[in-house]
Coordinates of all heavy atoms in Angstrom, one line a residue:
C1 N -8.2 7.1 -11.2 CA -7.8 8.5 -11.1 C -6.5 8.7 -11.9 O -5.5 8.1 -11.6 CB -7.6 8.9 -9.6 SG -7.1 10.5 -9.3
A2 N -6.6 9.7 -12.7 CA -5.5 10.0 -13.6 C -5.0 11.4 -13.2 O -5.8 12.4 -13.1 CB -5.9 10.0 -15.1
A3 N -3.8 11.6 -12.9 CA -3.1 12.8 -12.5 C -2.5 13.4 -13.6 O -1.8 12.7 -14.4 CB -2.2 12.7 -11.4
S4 N -2.5 14.8 -13.8 CA -1.7 15.4 -14.9 C -1.2 16.8 -14.2 O -1.6 17.2 -13.1 CB -2.7 15.7 -16.0 OG -3.7 16.5 -15.7
G5 N -0.1 17.4 -14.9 CA 0.6 18.5 -14.4 C 1.9 18.3 -13.9 O 2.6 17.5 -14.4
R6 N 2.2 19.1 -12.9 CA 3.6 19.1 -12.4 C 3.7 18.1 -11.3 O 3.4 18.5 -10.1 CB 4.1 20.5 -11.9 CG 4.1 21.6 -13.0 CD 4.6 22.9 -12.6 NE 4.7 23.9 -13.6 CZ 3.7 24.6 -14.0 NH1 2.5 24.6 -13.4 NH2 3.9 25.6 -14.9
I7 N 4.0 16.8 -11.6 CA 3.8 15.8 -10.6 C 5.3 15.3 -10.2 O 6.2 15.0 -11.1 CB 3.0 14.6 -11.2 CG1 1.7 15.0 -11.7 CG2 3.1 13.4 -10.2 CD1 1.0 14.0 -12.5
S8 N 5.6 15.4 -8.9 CA 6.7 14.9 -8.3 C 6.8 13.4 -8.5 O 5.8 12.7 -8.4 CB 6.9 15.2 -6.9 OG 6.9 16.7 -6.7
G9 N 8.1 12.9 -8.7 CA 8.3 11.5 -8.9 C 8.1 10.7 -7.7 O 7.7 9.5 -7.6
V10 N 8.3 11.3 -6.5 CA 8.0 10.6 -5.2 C 6.8 11.2 -4.6 O 6.8 12.3 -4.2 CB 9.3 10.8 -4.2 CG1 9.1 10.2 -2.9 CG2 10.6 10.2 -4.9
N11 N 5.8 10.4 -4.4 CA 4.5 10.9 -3.9 C 3.7 9.7 -3.4 O 3.9 8.6 -3.8 CB 3.9 11.6 -5.0 CG 3.5 10.7 -6.3 OD1 2.6 9.9 -6.2 ND2 4.1 11.0 -7.4
F12 N 2.7 10.0 -2.6 CA 1.5 9.1 -2.3 C 0.4 9.4 -3.2 O 0.1 10.6 -3.5 CB 1.1 9.3 -0.9 CG 2.1 8.7 0.1 CD1 2.9 9.6 0.8 CD2 2.0 7.3 0.4 CE1 3.8 9.0 1.8 CE2 2.9 6.9 1.5 CZ 3.8 7.7 2.1
M13 N -0.3 8.4 -3.8 CA -1.6 8.6 -4.3 C -2.6 7.7 -3.5 O -2.2 6.6 -3.2 CB -1.6 8.3 -5.8 CG -0.7 9.2 -6.6 SD -1.0 8.8 -8.5 CE -2.6 9.6 -8.7
G14 N -3.7 8.2 -3.4 CA -4.7 7.4 -2.6 C -6.1 7.9 -2.7 O -6.5 8.7 -3.6
W15 N -7.0 7.2 -2.0 CA -8.4 7.5 -2.1 C -9.0 7.8 -0.7 O -8.6 7.0 0.3 CB -9.0 6.3 -2.6 CG -8.8 6.0 -4.1 CD1 -7.9 5.1 -4.5 CD2 -9.5 6.5 -5.1 NE1 -7.8 5.2 -5.9 CE2 -8.9 6.0 -6.3 CE3 -10.6 7.3 -5.2 CZ2 -9.3 6.4 -7.5 CZ3 -11.0 7.7 -6.6 CH2 -10.4 7.2 -7.6
Y16 N -9.7 8.9 -0.5 CA -10.4 9.2 0.6 C -11.9 9.1 0.3 O -12.3 9.0 -0.8 CB -10.1 10.6 1.1 CG -8.7 10.8 1.7 CD1 -7.6 10.7 0.9 CD2 -8.6 11.2 3.0 CE1 -6.2 10.9 1.5 CE2 -7.3 11.2 3.6 CZ -6.3 11.2 2.8 OH -4.9 11.5 3.2
R17 N -12.7 9.0 1.4 CA -14.2 9.0 1.2 C -14.9 9.9 2.3 O -14.3 9.9 3.4 CB -14.7 7.5 1.2 CG -14.7 6.9 2.4 CD -15.1 5.3 2.2 NE -15.0 4.6 3.3 CZ -15.2 3.3 3.6 NH1 -15.5 2.5 2.4 NH2 -15.2 2.6 4.7
Q18 N -16.0 10.4 1.9 CA -16.8 11.2 2.8 C -18.1 10.7 2.7 O -18.9 10.8 1.7 CB -16.6 12.7 2.5 CG -17.3 13.6 3.5 CD -16.9 15.0 3.4 OE1 -16.3 15.4 2.3 NE2 -17.1 15.8 4.4
A19 N -18.8 10.2 3.7 CA -20.1 9.8 3.8 C -21.0 10.9 4.4 O -20.4 11.9 5.0 CB -20.3 8.6 4.8
P20 N -22.3 10.9 4.2 CA -23.1 12.0 4.7 C -22.9 12.2 6.1 O -22.9 11.4 7.0 CB -24.5 11.5 4.4 CG -24.4 10.6 3.3 CD -23.0 10.0 3.4
E21 N -22.7 13.5 6.6 CA -22.5 13.9 7.9 C -21.3 13.4 8.6 O -21.2 13.3 9.8 CB -23.9 13.8 8.7 CG -25.0 14.4 8.1 CD -26.2 14.3 9.0 OE1 -26.4 13.2 9.8 OE2 -27.0 15.2 9.1
K22 N -20.2 13.1 7.8 CA -19.2 12.6 8.4 C -17.9 13.2 7.8 O -18.0 13.8 6.6 CB -18.9 10.9 8.2 CG -19.9 10.2 9.0 CD -19.7 8.7 8.9 CE -20.6 7.9 9.8 NZ -20.4 6.4 9.7
E23 N -16.8 13.2 8.4 CA -15.6 13.8 7.9 C -15.0 13.0 6.7 O -15.1 11.7 6.8 CB -14.5 14.1 9.0 CG -15.1 15.0 10.1 CD -15.3 16.4 9.5 OE1 -14.4 16.9 8.8 OE2 -16.3 17.0 9.8
R24 N -14.1 13.6 5.9 CA -13.5 12.9 4.9 C -12.4 11.9 5.6 O -11.7 12.4 6.5 CB -12.8 13.9 3.9 CG -12.2 13.1 2.8 CD -11.6 14.2 1.8 NE -12.7 15.1 1.3 CZ -12.5 16.0 0.3 NH1 -11.4 16.2 -0.2 NH2 -13.5 16.9 0.0
A25 N -12.2 10.7 5.1 CA -11.4 9.8 5.8 C -10.6 9.0 4.8 O -11.1 8.8 3.6 CB -12.2 8.8 6.8
L26 N -9.3 8.7 5.2 CA -8.5 7.9 4.3 C -8.9 6.5 4.1 O -9.3 5.8 5.1 CB -7.1 7.9 4.9 CG -6.0 7.0 4.1 CD1 -5.8 7.7 2.6 CD2 -4.8 7.0 4.7
V27 N -9.1 6.0 2.9 CA -9.4 4.6 2.6 C -8.1 3.8 2.3 O -8.1 2.8 2.9 CB -10.4 4.5 1.4 CG1 -10.7 3.1 1.1 CG2 -11.6 5.3 1.7

């Protein structure tokens, strides 16, 4: 995953996933 734009130096980057009929959850 490549980010572009106005990006703060201090941040979290991560991945979430959403399976069928389930809520999006942090991986």
Side-chain angles (χ1 to χ4, degrees):
C1 172
S4 61
R6 298 180 178 91
I7 302 167
S8 298
V10 178
N11 62 72
F12 287 97
M13 294 188 75
W15 294 91
Y16 289 69
R17 66 188 180 188
Q18 188 166 18
E21 299 184 331
K22 294 187 177 180
E23 296 297 314
R24 189 176 300 184
L26 176 65
V27 178

